[in-house]
Amino acid sequence: AAGHDGIFALNSANNIIEHNVSFDNPSGNACGVNIAGAGSVANLIRHNLLINNNWGIRIQGGATNTVAFSNESRGNRSHGIQNIGAATNGTTIENNDAENNPVGVALSANMGETPTVSSLV
């Protein structure tokens, strides 16, 4: 219940975000994990539990080469996982469990390479 994002990496590279629980962040645009900005390169999001946020995981704003692997994203108000915006190239979304969200995994306005997606929704 952080109020906004549980975990936010802005213009931050080469991070491993793992084994966290991010839940009940009440803001209308709250994320369990939010990766944003052109400086956010090669981040790994794995083995996290994301419940009752607006988005479980959101990759946006030029973040590149992000890998979201083996996360559980449940009961979020909007998306389990969303990859949105121009130049979010090199995204890999694999082996995630995105259930009981209005949208499981969404790829929106992605410009450039097609992301790799293989998740249970």
Side-chain angles (χ1 to χ4, degrees):
H4 204 281
D5 299 332
I7 299 169
F8 185 28
L10 175 63
N11 292 318
S12 185
N14 301 306
N15 296 293
I16 298 174
I17 300 168
E18 65 181 353
H19 302 291
N20 298 286
V21 177
S22 183
F23 65 98
D24 291 339
N25 294 299
S27 175
N29 59 350
C31 304
V33 175
N34 187 0
I35 307 296
S40 290
V41 178
N43 289 293
L44 173 61
I45 308 161
R46 65 180 178 196
H47 308 295
N48 297 287
L49 178 59
L50 313 153
I51 302 171
N52 198 28
N53 304 291
N54 203 53
W55 295 278
I57 298 171
R58 194 165 200 225
I59 303 160
Q60 64 174 331
T64 57
N65 299 314
T66 302
V67 175
F69 175 80
S70 196
N71 298 284
E72 294 181 45
S73 187
R74 301 183 187 156
N76 295 290
R77 296 180 297 277
S78 183
H79 297 75
I81 301 171
Q82 184 183 45
N83 184 65
I84 186 168
T88 53
N89 296 333
T91 301
T92 301
I93 301 169
E94 289 187 330
N95 298 322
N96 296 284
D97 182 356
E99 62 181 71
N100 297 324
N101 307 288
V103 176
V105 177
L107 310 174
S108 306
N110 186 42
M111 307 299 276
E113 299 174 20
T114 302
T116 301
V117 178
S118 172
S119 293
L120 175 64
V121 291

